[in-house]
Amino acid sequence: MSDLPPSGATEPAASGPPADPAAPPPPAAEPAPGPPGTTGGATPGSGASGADPWAGHTGPVPVVPDQPGYDSPQPGAPNPAGQPASGALPGWSAPGDVPPGHTPHGWNAPGTPPQGWNAPPGTPPHGWNAPPGTPPPGWGGPAYPGHPMPGAAYPVPGAAYPVPGAAYPVPGAAYPVPAGPGTYAGWYPGIDPQDPLVNPPHAGIGPWFARCTAALRRGWRQLLPIVLLTQVVPAAVIGVLTLVFSPEGELATAPDGAPVLPAGFWGQMFAFYGVLLSAGLIFGLLQAAGWAAGTWVVARQAAGEPTGLGAAFRYGLRRALGLWGWTLLVSLLVMIGSCFCLLPGLYAAFALALFGPVYLFERREPIGRAWRMFHSRFGMVLGRVALVMAVLFAATVLDAVVGGISGALFGVEPMTSVGTAVGAVALAVFGALLAAPAYLAQQVGLVVTYAEQRAQEGPVNAARLAAELG
């Protein structure tokens, strides 16, 4: 229907003040009723009863949601300046104006943070696929407080997911863990950063040292008797045997100036080394039992399992023979390396330092596994083993100082008299006691280093390591 006036005479313009340009235009006149069947027929609401119900209304225009095409205001309602023709609010798009598969402008999908909102530390990165059983991206989930509010900490591994009935991925699930407070970049899922024995990958030397000291605090009551009986006593006995069987006499000088050995020197020398070798073999079996018992105590206490001296010694005796055999083989390799030069022997001692824990926990190729662990993470293992070796070296220096004091006080042949013999034996025992802290540090340091290397290869914890000991 045309909005032009009918042909013919037109009404003269009404006189009066000019119209206000800011005022809204008057509503269009209702079309005149026509005969039935024509397009200009009257509407049911025409006439006085069909007057615009929103005429003169100055507040917001309500939208009736149950009418089709509700994206436009009610008929006859004033259209605010700047409002889109479809009737949508500023910054919003009408449903018909958005292509399929696109998000309307200014509208946030359910479950997604508002624009400009920074996700809290610890949230999974964009595009990360959650493990089975977790809600898909974009799922709205329950309203606050079930969902974490902006700025709140994201649920940590092991905590219950806010979705009723769904569990958040527990440690051991295969998903990447981002770096954040309490986590370490690159560490394997399933590794607890607070594990009392296993140092997470890339955690550094500080947490490794803290776990060593914590293991000593937990188990010194069991570890100290084990070390005293299986390490200090053999060292003291070997020290006393050294005093008793050391060759006596001094080199003499022949008339031609050549050195002359004292009478019976070679017999005494063979007896001396024979006794020390036999004592080393016998006490080596006892020492192997002590290392196995100490490892058992450290692992089980870290896992929160009960430990006792009787059970520890029973375990140590059960594993002593195998560990003793591998110890002899490693000692032979180190000795062969030292025969060529000191550096190859020292290198072999560092590279094979973890053979004991490998044998006790894994029971397979301890020399090969220790060698591969050392060379796979050369700097890390070298640093840890060097700290342990430094403590042992300090104990050796102290023992040498005590031996020097004994020689200065009681001479090179202290066993010739009772007084000097008692004093020399007492100093030998004292020197062995001074090495007890070094034995404790070696026991704990090698076990914690081995646990850290296992964590570099896959998920592991103290409970699993304790179970592997058998």
Side-chain angles (χ1 to χ4, degrees):
M1 180 176 181
S2 174
D3 292 336
L4 297 177
S7 59
T10 59
E11 294 181 3
S15 60
D20 187 2
E30 293 290 338
T38 62
T39 58
T43 60
S46 61
S49 61
D52 186 6
W54 304 105
H57 182 75
T58 59
V61 179
V63 178
V64 182
D66 57 352
Q67 294 183 359
Y70 64 85
D71 54 327
S72 60
Q74 295 291 336
N79 188 15
Q83 180 174 335
S86 61
L89 297 178
W92 291 71
S93 300
D97 297 339
V98 181
H102 290 72
T103 302
H105 176 70
W107 180 77
N108 293 318
T112 58
Q115 295 181 357
W117 179 72
N118 294 324
T123 55
H126 179 69
W128 171 71
N129 293 324
T134 56
W139 183 78
Y144 295 120
H147 248 32
M149 299 184 64
Y154 201 80
V156 297
Y161 199 77
V163 183
Y168 196 75
V170 296
Y175 67 100
V177 180
T183 61
Y184 305 96
W187 57 285
Y188 279 85
I191 297 180
D192 182 9
Q194 304 300 326
D195 191 277
L197 182 63
V198 180
N199 194 32
H202 310 292
I205 193 68
W208 174 87
F209 185 77
R211 282 168 172 81
C212 292
T213 55
L216 285 175
R217 287 195 301 267
R218 286 193 304 267
W220 70 270
R221 291 178 179 84
Q222 290 81 22
L223 292 176
L224 186 59
I226 293 174
V227 166
L228 290 176
L229 182 60
T230 63
Q231 310 299 328
V232 173
V233 170
V237 172
I238 292 176
V240 173
L241 292 177
T242 302
L243 294 174
V244 173
F245 290 95
S246 60
E248 299 178 355
E250 299 179 357
L251 291 175
T253 303
D256 58 354
V260 177
L261 296 176
F265 175 80
W266 289 111
Q268 295 179 2
M269 183 64 66
F270 280 113
F272 173 74
Y273 283 106
V275 168
L276 292 185
L277 182 60
S278 301
L281 291 176
I282 296 173
F283 287 121
L285 187 61
L286 180 60
Q287 289 175 331
W291 290 122
T295 303
W296 185 84
V297 169
V298 171
R300 287 182 62 89
Q301 284 189 341
E305 299 179 6
T307 57
L309 282 178
F313 278 116
R314 285 192 297 270
Y315 174 83
L317 292 175
R318 189 170 69 249
R319 306 297 302 278
L321 186 60
L323 183 59
W324 178 63
W326 287 108
T327 303
L328 292 178
L329 182 57
V330 170
S331 301
L332 181 62
L333 293 175
V334 173
M335 186 174 61
I336 293 175
S338 301
C339 291
F340 290 98
C341 184
L342 179 62
L343 187 59
L346 188 62
Y347 186 84
F350 274 81
L352 302 178
L354 297 180
F355 82 94
V358 170
Y359 169 75
L360 293 174
F361 286 100
E362 302 180 28
R363 300 178 180 86
R364 60 185 178 94
E365 52 171 354
I367 292 180
R369 280 281 291 154
W371 184 272
R372 288 193 296 272
M373 280 185 177
F374 181 77
H375 291 91
S376 297
R377 291 163 291 275
F378 180 80
M380 180 185 299
V381 182
L382 178 64
R384 274 55 165 176
V385 175
L387 290 176
V388 175
M389 293 294 186
V391 178
L392 293 176
F393 180 75
T396 304
V397 171
L398 286 177
D399 185 66
V401 170
V402 173
I405 296 174
S406 175
L409 293 177
F410 309 111
V412 293
E413 297 179 2
M415 307 306 291
T416 56
S417 64
V418 177
T420 56
V422 172
V425 169
L427 284 180
V429 174
F430 178 71
L433 285 172
L434 288 179
Y439 295 136
L440 289 173
Q442 183 183 13
Q443 173 77 81
V444 173
L446 292 181
V447 173
V448 176
T449 301
Y450 169 79
E452 183 183 33
Q453 301 314 303
R454 286 287 301 274
Q456 295 283 340
E457 301 172 352
V460 71
N461 53 22
R464 176 176 173 179
L465 292 176
E468 289 180 359
L469 287 175

